[in-house]
Amino acid sequence: MPVRVAVDAMGGDHAPRAIVRGAVEALAEEADLELVLVGDERRIHEELTSAPVNGHQSRIRVVHASQVVEMDEAPVEAIKGKKDSSLIRMAELAAAREVDAVL
């Protein structure tokens, strides 16, 4: 049975490029892995078109989130104020048992 992991594609210094490329590399190494990339759908798809997906498209799902929690934001305020952030979307996916883990 595959492990389904939600990944915040907008988190990190070089997001979403570095996150998407790392996710694609993980798929190549782990046959039982399925990924849900959460964030700006348009930007994620742009990165996926240039990443070496090599037949792993069926193991990647993209969930749109229109907001990003910035590094300098207070966590509680960000959660309260950004209901369409990747952080909230990933929590919703986990609560609905659509993913086994969030990263």
Side-chain angles (χ1 to χ4, degrees):
M1 182 154 171
V3 175
R4 301 164 300 169
V5 178
V7 177
D8 182 356
M10 306 313 291
D13 292 339
H14 302 286
R17 172 168 280 161
I19 308 302
V20 170
R21 292 190 181 264
V24 168
E25 286 180 25
L27 288 172
E29 293 180 19
E30 298 294 333
D32 290 336
L33 181 63
E34 292 180 2
L35 296 178
V36 180
L37 300 175
V38 184
D40 184 323
E41 186 174 28
R42 180 189 58 78
R43 291 180 62 199
I44 294 169
H45 281 296
E46 284 175 2
E47 293 303 331
L48 283 171
T49 61
S50 64
V53 178
N54 299 333
H56 301 298
Q57 292 91 335
S58 65
R59 295 169 42 212
I60 300 171
R61 178 177 153 207
V62 177
V63 171
H64 183 68
S66 64
Q67 297 174 305
V68 175
V69 175
E70 301 297 335
M71 292 297 294
D72 61 343
E73 289 185 77
V76 172
E77 295 304 317
I79 290 171
K80 287 180 181 178
K82 294 189 172 181
K83 298 295 183 188
D84 195 39
S85 67
S86 51
L87 181 64
I88 296 294
R89 291 284 166 245
M90 290 190 310
E92 291 170 346
L93 290 166
R97 297 184 185 256
E98 292 183 43
V99 295
D100 302 307
V102 297
L103 175 64

